[in-house]
Amino acid sequence: MTFKLRQVIAVSLALAATTFGVSGCGRAEAGTLQGGRLALPVAGGTATVDTATLAVTARTGDGTPLVLSEAVEGGLGTPGPMTRTADGARWSYPAKGLEVTARSERGRLTVRIRADRDQSVSWPVTGTDRAASDVQVPRGAGLDIPVRDAFWNSGRGGLAGSTVDVGADLALPLWGYAMGGDARAGSGARHGVSYVTPTDIGTSLRFASEGGALRATAAHAFDAGEGTRDYEVSFALTDGDPVAPAADYRSYLAQRGQLGSLREKIARNPANGKLLGAFHAYVWGEARTAEGVERLRKSGVDRMWLGYDAGPAPMDAAAVRAARQAGYLVGPYDSFANGQDAKTADSPTSQWPGTVYPDFCVRKADGSAETGFAGRGCYLSSRAFEKAEPTAHHLAERTRAMTANGADSYFLDVDATGEVFRDHGAGHEMTKAGDRANRLARMERLAKGFVLGSESAQPWANRVLAFDHGSGTPVADGLWALERDKETWGGYYPQDAPKNFFRPVTLPAELATAMYDPKYRVPLYETALHGSLVNVERWELSYDKLPAQKTTRALLAMLSNTPLNFVLDGPSLTKNGAELAALQRYFAPLHRAAGTERLTSFRWLTGDRSVQRTVFGDGTLTVTANFGSRAYEGLPGGCVDARLRGDERPRRLCPARVDS
C-alpha cells in the first residue's frame, strides 16, 4: 500500500473517531484528560499533550509509543484551569502570559499558542525519541539525513550547530523524523512524525548534535510589532516515508484552499502550457538575437523558457518574435526590490522615476535605510509601491517598458522568497506579513498577463506563480562564500558572456556532498508542490557551471520531473547545443505528461540509496535513476529509465553519453 493511500485511510478513520466520539482500537475520546495529560485522536493513533510542560507523546495504532516533543525549554510555570472544547481543550500559563489551544483537526494534532507579551518560546523539541533514524529537512529540494550520519553531525554539513529561519531559509515550513525500520519496501515497520509551522514568520529551527544524533528545536519570537503574537504547530503521524512530511503539508495546503494548480493556471492563461517540456536558459550575446534563437530551434529544441537581463542590449522585438514563433517563452529578469541613485545605479532595474529612491526605502526602527543586496542602494518598500500604484503606476509602467518587445513571460527577482521586511518608514509602515501580502498582490496582477516566475518560491506564493528559479537548489552556506570569490567563481564581465555564469567551477568536496550527494537528496518540495508550479535550479547554477555534478543533476532533474537550467551565448550554442537538444528531447514528453500531476511516491530501491524511484499521478510516469556505478536490474549506473503509462519499454537516458 502506498503512503498516499495509507494516509487517506488513516485520516478518514481519525476524523470519524473525532466526529462521533468513539474510543477503542487504541484511540481516545476527543479531549480525554487524565492527570494533566490531554489525549486526542489523530490519524494513525493518539497524541497526548502534557499540559504542565507541553511535552507531546503518541501511541500508534499498532501500539508503538513515540516521543514527538520534549517539554518547553526553560519551563512555563503552573498551568491555569483547562476548558474543554468540542475537539480538544484550552488552558493558559499565567506566569508567561500564554494561552494554549490543543485540538484534533483533520487527523492532526494542532497546538496554537497566543502570547500577551513579547517573548520567545523554544518548542517543540524534536528528534529525542530513541528510535529516531532520519530527519527530513526542506533545504532546497529536500534532504533526508540519518540522524547519526557523521558528516551532518559535524560542522562540515553546515547543519549541526546552525539555526535557520523557517520562513526565509527553508523551502517549506516543516521538518520531520522517521523512527525505526528501513525505508525500503517490505523491510520492517516504520513510523514518523511531520511538523508543520504555518506561522513561519518569527519561527526558527535550531539543529544540534547531541549524543551523536541530530535534534531539531523550534523557537518562536512573539512580537506585537512584528505581528507574531500567535504560534501554531501541526503534528501528524506518518509511516516514516522519507517524503511523508511534504505529503502531509500538501494535504494541509489543499484542505485550506492554499494549493495552486498548474492546470488551472494554463486554463486561465494558455501560454503557461508552454512551460511543459521546456528547459530554461538565460541568454547572452548571439543567443539573445533572432539568429541565435533560430539556431536553437534548428538544433531540435521545441520548448524553452528564455530569459534576459535588462542591460544595454536586451532581446529586441525580432528576437522575441522568433522565440515565440519557435514555441518558446521569453521574458525579462526584473526586480522591484532595489533602489539606487539614478546617477550612479549599477543596473537599469534599480533606477526609478522621481524620488522613489530614497523615499520608498525600507526604514529600520532608527530611521536608517535597509541596505540593498550586496550593499547596493536600499531595499524598496512593497507597501510604498502599493500605496502609490493607483495614481503613480510605477510598477505598471516598468512592466510595460520591460515587455514592449513582445515578451510573454516575466521573472520577478526576490518577490517570492522568504526575505521580507518590517518597514518603519513614515507613511508606508508594514510588518513582514504585510510585506508578503503586498508582494502577493502585485505578483497576482502580473500573472494575469504573463507567465510569471520568481526566485525560490515559498509556498505562500504557489497559487500565483507558474515557475520559480531556486527552490530546487539545496543552498549551503559555503556556496555564498564561493560565489563571492570572483577569482574562482567569476564576475559579471565580459558583458556578452559574464564569467559569473559561464566559467566552470569545481565545488569543494564538502560543499558538493551537502548540496548534491544523492543519498541525502529527497524530493520534499516536489512532493508538496509538483503540479502547482514548475521548479528550476538557481540561475547562476546552470547545468554547465558545475561539470562534476552534471550527471547527478540530470538524473535528479529527471527523477523529480523538473527542467534543467542553462546559460547560452554564441560559443555555447556551438559547443553544447546538441547536448541540450538531446536532453530536452528526452525530458519533453515526460514533463508534458506529468508536469501537472502530483508526485505520489518516492522510494530507495537499494540499501545504499543509489537507486531511486518516483511515481507521478496514478502511474502516469514512473522514473528510476541509478546514481551508483553498478547496474541495477539492467539499468546501468549513471542512467535513468522513465516509463509513461502505455509504454511497452522504458525510455533510457545516460546523460554522460548524449551528443555533445
Side-chain angles (χ1 to χ4, degrees), residues 305-570:
W305 178 90
L306 301 179
Y308 57 91
D309 67 350
M315 290 186 78
D316 60 22
V320 169
R321 186 164 53 250
R324 296 185 65 170
Q325 288 174 348
Y328 302 169
L329 289 165
V330 59
Y333 174 104
D334 195 9
S335 175
F336 297 163
N338 188 256
Q340 300 179 43
D341 188 327
K343 298 178 182 178
T344 57
D346 58 11
S347 169
T349 61
S350 298
Q351 299 177 21
W352 297 91
T355 59
V356 167
Y357 177 85
D359 292 357
F360 285 19
C361 289
V362 171
R363 297 288 169 180
K364 302 176 185 178
D366 63 5
S368 63
E370 187 74 51
T371 303
F373 178 75
R376 302 162 56 248
C378 73
Y379 280 103
L380 297 175
S381 170
S382 63
R383 174 63 176 156
F385 273 124
E386 287 298 291
K387 290 187 66 176
E389 196 62 14
T391 55
H393 312 304
H394 295 305
L395 302 183
E397 290 177 3
R398 164 66 73 82
T399 302
R400 279 194 292 270
M402 295 286 282
T403 59
N405 58 3
D408 56 356
S409 183
Y410 214 88
F411 183 85
L412 191 58
D413 189 26
V414 176
D415 261 34
T417 69
E419 186 179 34
V420 290
F421 297 98
R422 182 178 178 187
D423 187 2
H424 297 268
H428 47 83
E429 298 89 347
M430 67 179 179
T431 63
K432 291 180 178 179
D435 193 8
R436 273 189 187 176
N438 295 329
R439 295 176 186 218
L440 195 60
R442 67 195 190 191
M443 286 191 288
E444 189 169 21
R445 293 195 297 267
L446 273 173
K448 292 177 180 178
F450 300 96
V451 177
L452 181 65
S454 189
E455 177 187 0
S456 301
Q458 291 288 307
W460 51 266
N462 87 87
R463 285 172 292 170
V464 299
L465 293 178
F467 69 97
D468 86 89
H469 289 171
S471 292
T473 304
V475 173
D477 288 343
L479 177 64
W480 306 131
L482 186 63
E483 290 190 10
R484 288 192 292 270
D485 179 1
K486 300 305 180 186
E487 292 300 315
T488 300
W489 193 264
Y492 285 92
Y493 295 94
Q495 183 177 294
D496 60 346
K499 293 181 180 178
N500 178 278
F501 290 95
F502 287 91
R503 173 183 288 171
V505 168
T506 299
L507 293 178
E510 292 179 352
L511 185 56
T513 297
M515 293 181 65
Y516 291 113
D517 192 323
K519 71 182 178 184
Y520 302 121
R521 290 284 296 263
V522 292
L524 295 179
Y525 191 87
E526 294 307 315
T527 299
L529 295 177
H530 197 275
S532 173
L533 76 170
V534 175
N535 177 26
V536 187
E537 282 220 58
R538 294 183 61 84
W539 52 88
E540 78 273 27
L541 290 175
S542 68
Y543 185 58
D544 294 302
K545 183 71 175 180
L546 307 173
Q549 279 73 44
K550 285 182 66 172
T551 293
T552 294
R553 294 172 76 193
L555 296 186
L556 287 169
M558 302 307 149
L559 190 69
S560 59
N561 197 229
T562 55
L564 290 170
N565 201 3
F566 291 79
V567 291
L568 297 173
D569 64 351

Side-chain angles (χ1 to χ4, degrees), residues 108 174 245-255 259-260 525-532 596-599:
R108 303 177 183 87
L174 60 85
D248 172 53
Y249 183 55
R250 184 185 181 95
S251 174
Y252 180 97
L253 291 175
Q255 290 166 351
L259 181 64
Y525 191 87
E526 294 307 315
T527 299
L529 295 177
H530 197 275
S532 173
T596 57
E597 301 281 354
R598 66 175 295 180
L599 194 162

Side-chain angles (χ1 to χ4, degrees), residues 128-182:
T128 63
D129 191 300
R130 289 184 178 180
S133 58
D134 296 79
V135 58
Q136 294 91 33
V137 184
R139 190 160 83 172
L143 300 171
D144 179 281
I145 301 168
V147 296
R148 296 192 177 277
D149 187 275
F151 175 78
W152 292 99
N153 274 274
S154 69
R156 296 177 294 155
L159 196 63
S162 72
T163 299
V164 298
D165 184 323
V166 172
D169 300 326
L170 297 182
L172 304 167
L174 60 85
W175 70 103
Y177 276 90
M179 282 85 157
D182 189 312

Side-chain angles (χ1 to χ4, degrees), residues 554-641:
L555 296 186
L556 287 169
M558 302 307 149
L559 190 69
S560 59
N561 197 229
T562 55
L564 290 170
N565 201 3
F566 291 79
V567 291
L568 297 173
D569 64 351
S572 64
L573 280 172
T574 300
K575 179 181 179 182
N576 303 320
E579 179 186 32
L580 187 160
L583 292 169
Q584 192 269 336
R585 283 195 298 270
Y586 180 84
F587 174 76
L590 310 181
H591 196 232
R592 287 177 175 175
T596 57
E597 301 281 354
R598 66 175 295 180
L599 194 162
T600 48
S601 175
F602 169 80
R603 296 172 58 201
W604 296 302
L605 302 183
T606 57
D608 63 1
R609 302 185 175 187
S610 64
V611 184
Q612 305 177 11
R613 176 171 291 163
T614 52
V615 179
F616 296 84
D618 188 17
T620 301
L621 171 66
T622 300
V623 184
T624 305
N626 186 349
F627 295 94
S629 57
R630 295 181 178 180
Y632 174 83
E633 296 185 356
L635 177 62
C639 298
V640 59
D641 275 352

